[in-house]
Amino acid sequence: NAGVMQNPRHLVRRRGQEARLRCSPMKGHSHVYWYRQLPEEGLKFMVYLQKENIIDESGMPKERFSAEFPKEGPSILRIQQVVRGDSAAYFCASSQEQVSNEQFFGPGTRLTVL
Amino acid sequence: AQKITQTQPGMFVQEKEAVTLDCTYDTSDPSYGLFWYKQPSSGEMIFLIYQGSYDQQNATEGRYSLNFQKARKSANLVISASQLGDSAMYFCAMRGTSNFGNEKLTFGTGTRLTIIP
């Protein structure tokens, strides 16, 4: 049973380019969470999605950031016109329908903006 | 709103000694869950242990135990017989249940643990 998968693991972009981060949840999981970890900081919640629905985007920056979780395929976190301050590790986590005692994290995508 | 406080930015501990990592929390939710994660230098987030606010006993998982003191709002992680491989960042996190089904976690700032041979 594969865990949460994220790709790419490392992504380098120049200022102004777009970054697309992908997350495939664990099999049978329909809830996806995205977190951002700035250097030397803890993880900060960004957005919570279920299939085809954004449930909670209270942690998402108002501009340039968007997320989706289509009926088929992985969840995508999209950052348009990246800036140096977007450089961070972006983690995806997934869970099942019921409240569980563990949230399963992917390995993260490390975004570097030059 | 929920808040997690980890007051120890870094700790150095001799190998084979026990270590306690501090975590205090604040929430208005009547029911909540507390988590500890380990993040080694490779960067992944490794789940260690979970404590539910209504659990009668403190959680234990191998060498990890959670010293849960509800009245003090503390959930300290205790690692017994520390090993060199325990050197990592450790994060305390909380999940509230005010929005059923939304399991987003609130993280502390972490403690960097270094085990000295």
Side-chain angles (χ1 to χ4, degrees):
Chain A
N1 186 11
V4 179
M5 300 178 70
Q6 289 187 251
N7 68 82
R9 295 291 304 275
H10 300 274
L11 182 61
V12 179
R13 286 287 178 265
R14 296 191 180 279
R15 281 178 297 172
Q17 291 184 321
E18 178 180 289
R20 280 184 179 239
L21 289 62
R22 295 174 190 78
C23 168
S24 296
M26 285 184 68
K27 187 176 181 181
H29 286 192
S30 57
H31 299 205
V32 165
Y33 303 79
W34 285 93
Y35 296 84
R36 177 166 66 175
Q37 184 181 29
L38 295 172
E40 302 302 317
E41 293 188 11
L43 279 68
K44 295 279 186 352
F45 167 78
M46 298 181 75
V47 62
Y48 161 46
L49 310 102
Q50 297 178 17
K51 286 284 188 181
E52 300 184 278
N53 285 304
I54 296 174
I55 308 300
D56 180 354
E57 56 182 348
S58 58
M60 286 276 273
K62 293 288 185 285
E63 297 177 347
R64 302 188 297 109
F65 285 72
S66 62
E68 62 177 12
F69 188 16
K71 187 177 180 181
E72 301 290 338
S75 175
I76 306 286
L77 180 67
R78 182 183 177 204
I79 311 171
Q80 295 178 289
Q81 299 175 339
V82 295
V83 301
R84 289 230 173 101
D86 296 333
S87 294
Y90 291 83
F91 288 92
C92 167
S94 73
S95 65
Q96 295 176 309
E97 290 286 338
Q98 303 91 341
V99 173
S100 64
N101 295 345
E102 182 176 349
Q103 200 166 94
F104 297 86
F105 279 84
T109 292
R110 274 137 193 91
L111 172 66
T112 302
V113 179
L114 301 177
Chain B
Q2 299 170 346
K3 186 176 181 181
I4 294 283
T5 302
Q6 294 181 255
T7 57
Q8 305 154 310
M11 287 187 71
F12 291 84
V13 174
Q14 204 73 38
E15 189 180 7
K16 298 181 184 177
E17 288 186 352
V19 56
T20 297
L21 304 180
D22 295 341
C23 172
T24 57
Y25 60 90
D26 191 23
T27 182
S28 56
D29 285 343
S31 177
Y32 48 89
L34 295 154
F35 300 76
W36 277 91
Y37 284 86
K38 173 184 179 181
Q39 187 177 43
S41 57
S42 51
E44 70 268 33
M45 295 292 287
I46 302 169
F47 167 76
L48 295 179
I49 197 166
Y50 167 83
Q51 178 82 44
S53 59
Y54 285 109
D55 291 345
Q56 294 296 315
Q57 294 188 335
N58 287 349
T60 60
E61 290 285 349
R63 293 187 300 114
Y64 304 108
S65 61
L66 203 151
N67 184 3
F68 180 47
Q69 298 189 41
K70 196 170 181 178
R72 293 186 174 186
K73 293 190 175 181
S74 73
N76 297 341
L77 177 70
V78 179
I79 306 174
S80 63
S82 57
Q83 303 170 356
L84 295 178
D86 294 333
S87 294
M89 281 290 287
Y90 287 81
F91 292 99
C92 181
M94 162 181 276
R95 177 193 70 214
T97 55
S98 55
N99 298 309
F100 182 77
N102 184 347
E103 297 182 42
K104 65 181 178 183
L105 297 176
T106 300
F107 283 83
T109 51
T111 296
R112 185 174 298 280
L113 176 64
T114 303
I115 306 300
I116 305 167

